[in-house]
């Protein structure tokens, strides 16, 4: 039985990945931090077979102890401060966890896994946010980075640290440059879930309007359930490498609103939307659209869920959750 260690197990991707790996027959270990994190219960209920281990990406000794205890075949480093807006307000903490956390996790893998022939394979959750002020469209593995947020800067550090540990120590370390991926497990702070949740609440008469920032930004949105499979496929390759994972299709926040309201049967959506300067960012990423040809060719990966299907899935989940909550 293969053993996988996932950091960020309580996050959207950690929850999808743990379920995916369990169905592949893995024993899954998830790193959790702090006391009384309410998300731990959710994770355990979804996947009772996982084993949780306590540690923190800010604490190298805890990571070494965990890797020693778990003896993983594969480590998926998904833990991070992942909300771009928050990274502007807590830039140092973001650099600490999202940036230096990668170095610490790789150090734990290097130290515990030994020298040449290190048996542990490592996945780093890199991000399209690294492209920032994009130098070319669409973006691929060779597009230069120009991050526009403390989060993006920290991810660039994590990305190059992963490349460096691969080149310097021969670790099987791969970096997935994933474009935005969403789904019903997405946090409410991210724009897709904020929109589908608000539209469901407006439909149910529980909310009058939604406040948003920049409606013109465009993102390449896919489904998280599809994207975690690409992570796993990267670690099954003979050689470690970097891969862009994306749908190749971009939509604006305006398109997202129009689609979600249309699915809810509401046409005159503009009267429900207000723009609030609090949701604008000091520096914006205007357009992200990925070219995932390499992942398609080498990993045999491709997205299955379309933009319309994704918004529908999220809206229906929010409608169900919100009506159940209202009935209680
Ligand atoms: P998420 O839902 O925000 O989850 C983040 C996870 O990181 C949570 O489990 C959180 O645990 C954990 N974490 C935060 N600080 C930590 C610390 N100090 N030590 C250990 N764990 C810590 O993020 P996601 O959407 O699943 O994304 C997973 C990864 O992919 C992240 O690295 C993100 O930056 C990256 N990524 C995401 C996307 C996307 O569109 N979703 C795209 C590209 C890259 P707590 O419950 O304890 O807070
Ligand atoms: N969150 C949010 N809230 N975003 C808004 C809002 C709002 O009220 N109004 C407009 N937006 C715009 C943002 O300015 C941004 O251009 C876009 O919606 C998407 O914002 P998010 O959903 O917060 O995602 P993100 O693209 O900044 O970051 C996500 O994707 C990255 C990959 O490109 C996160 O998951 C990152 O962790 C990930 O790396």
């Amino acid at each position: 039985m293969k053993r996988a260690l996932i950091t960020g197990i309580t996050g959207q991707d950690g929850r999808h990945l743990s379920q995916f790996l369990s169905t592949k027959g893995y024993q899954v270990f998830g790193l959790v931090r702090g006391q009384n994190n309410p998300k731990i219960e959710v994770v355990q209920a979804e996947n009772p077979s996982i084993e949780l281990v306590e540690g923190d990406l800010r604490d190298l000794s805890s990571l070494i102890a965990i890797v020693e205890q778990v003896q993983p075949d594969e480590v998926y480093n998904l833990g991070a401060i992942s909300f771009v807006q928050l990274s502007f307000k807590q830039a140092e903490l973001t650099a600490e966890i999202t940036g230096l956390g990668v170095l610490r996790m790789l150090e734990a893998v290097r130290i515990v896994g030994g020298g040449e022939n290190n048996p542990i394979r490592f996945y780093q959750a890199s991000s399209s946010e690294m492209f920032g002020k994009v130098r070319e469209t669409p973006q691929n593995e060779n597009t230069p980075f120009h991050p526009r947020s403390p989060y993006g800067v920290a991810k660039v550090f994590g990305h190059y640290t992963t490349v460096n540990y691969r080149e310097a120590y021969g670790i099987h370390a791969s970096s997935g440059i994933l474009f935005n991926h969403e789904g019903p497990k997405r946090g409410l702070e991210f724009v897709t879930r904020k929109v589908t949740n608000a539209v469901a609440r407006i439909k149910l008469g529980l909310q009058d309007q939604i406040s948003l920032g920049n409606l013109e930004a465009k993102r390449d949105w896919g489904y998280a359930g599809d994207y975690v499979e690409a992570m796993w496929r990267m670690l099954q390759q003979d050689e470690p490498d970097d891969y862009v994972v994306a749908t190749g299709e971009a939509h604006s926040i305006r398109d997202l609103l129009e689609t979600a309201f249309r699915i809810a049967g509401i046409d005159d959506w503009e009267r429900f939307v207000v723009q609030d300067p609090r949701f604008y960012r000091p520096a914006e990423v205007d357009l992200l659209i990925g070219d995932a040809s390499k992942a398609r060719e080498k990993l045999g990966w491709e997205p299955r869920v379309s933009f319309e299907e994704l918004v529908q899935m999220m809206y229906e989940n929010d409608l169900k959750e919100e009506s159940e909550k209202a009935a209680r």
Side-chain angles (χ1 to χ4, degrees):
M1 194 183 223
K2 274 197 181 177
R3 298 157 77 83
L5 171 65
I6 303 175
T7 72
I9 191 102
T10 54
Q12 171 188 247
D13 290 6
R15 288 167 61 191
H16 277 285
L17 182 64
S18 89
Q19 288 181 307
F20 175 81
L21 293 177
S22 293
T23 62
K24 288 269 172 210
Y26 281 69
Q27 172 67 54
V28 177
F29 297 82
L31 182 145
V32 291
R33 65 177 177 140
Q35 294 170 313
N36 279 333
N37 182 344
K39 288 185 269 175
I40 292 174
E41 241 177 75
V42 177
V43 167
Q44 277 174 321
E46 268 177 356
N47 188 352
S49 71
I50 57 173
E51 275 190 43
L52 299 178
V53 286
E54 284 174 21
D56 196 301
L57 286 168
R58 288 169 292 189
D59 181 359
L60 176 61
S61 64
S62 73
L63 302 179
I64 293 174
I66 286 167
V67 177
E68 252 167 9
Q69 177 199 332
V70 170
Q71 294 289 319
D73 297 288
E74 296 171 10
V75 172
Y76 294 86
N77 186 41
L78 312 184
I81 287 188
S82 78
F83 187 33
V84 171
Q85 180 108 34
L86 179 68
S87 79
F88 285 104
K89 294 182 182 132
Q90 298 183 15
E92 186 184 342
L93 190 63
T94 303
E96 188 65 59
I97 298 171
T98 306
L100 276 172
V102 185
L103 176 79
R104 292 192 193 96
M105 202 61 243
L106 277 162
E107 272 293 272
V109 167
R110 183 182 72 81
I111 292 165
V112 179
E116 277 172 48
N117 306 324
N118 187 324
I120 307 173
R121 295 187 172 197
F122 179 86
Y123 172 83
Q124 168 55 18
S126 288
S127 165
S128 53
E129 183 73 12
M130 301 190 300
F131 297 121
K133 192 172 178 185
V134 298
R135 305 277 182 87
E136 62 179 349
T137 297
Q139 297 85 50
N140 63 35
E141 294 78 8
N142 300 316
T143 303
F145 299 137
H146 186 144
R148 295 270 282 172
S149 61
Y151 168 82
V153 173
K155 282 288 177 188
V156 171
F157 175 85
H159 177 79
Y160 281 127
T161 304
T162 305
V163 174
N164 180 243
Y165 272 57
R166 176 162 83 215
E167 293 174 354
Y169 305 114
I171 294 176
H172 192 294
S174 291
S175 173
I177 306 173
L178 270 53
F179 283 62
N180 298 50
H181 45 278
E182 320 288 318
K185 300 185 203 299
R186 190 56 145 153
L188 283 161
E189 65 274 38
F190 298 95
V191 76
T192 50
R193 183 83 198 285
K194 183 173 172 180
V195 165
T196 59
N197 182 265
V199 174
R201 288 176 57 82
I202 289 167
K203 181 75 178 173
L204 292 168
L206 300 169
Q207 189 172 322
D208 298 329
Q209 57 183 32
I210 172 169
S211 302
L212 292 164
N214 177 14
L215 304 187
E216 311 312 327
K218 289 189 173 165
R219 290 290 182 276
D220 180 333
W221 280 301
Y223 173 50
D226 291 345
Y227 284 41
V228 296
E229 182 167 347
M231 299 174 184
W232 172 76
R233 285 181 182 237
M234 284 176 218
L235 296 204
Q236 310 319 305
Q237 302 305 303
D238 290 339
E239 298 300 326
D241 208 340
D242 307 323
Y243 297 90
V244 158
V245 177
T247 70
E249 200 182 297
H251 296 271
S252 65
I253 316 301
R254 206 174 272 285
D255 295 340
L256 168 69
L257 284 161
E258 188 275 322
T259 306
F261 276 106
R262 176 170 43 73
I263 288 168
I266 301 170
D267 292 328
D268 53 346
W269 61 269
E270 271 156 325
R271 71 191 176 92
F272 296 104
V273 177
V274 290
Q275 281 184 274
D276 184 334
R278 280 184 306 144
F279 297 113
Y280 281 85
R281 295 173 181 180
E284 177 62 287
V285 172
D286 296 321
L287 167 70
L288 291 175
I289 178 164
D291 171 3
S293 311
K294 182 174 168 184
R296 198 169 296 122
E297 281 155 28
K298 298 210 165 159
L299 304 178
W301 177 88
E302 54 183 51
R304 296 192 190 95
V305 176
S306 71
F307 174 68
E308 178 91 18
E309 289 165 341
L310 175 64
V311 178
Q312 174 132 21
M313 180 201 306
M314 293 177 70
Y315 167 73
E316 280 170 7
N317 171 73
D318 279 315
L319 193 66
K320 182 166 173 286
E321 269 187 23
E322 289 297 332
S323 47
E324 283 170 2
K325 229 192 276 171
R328 282 201 289 272

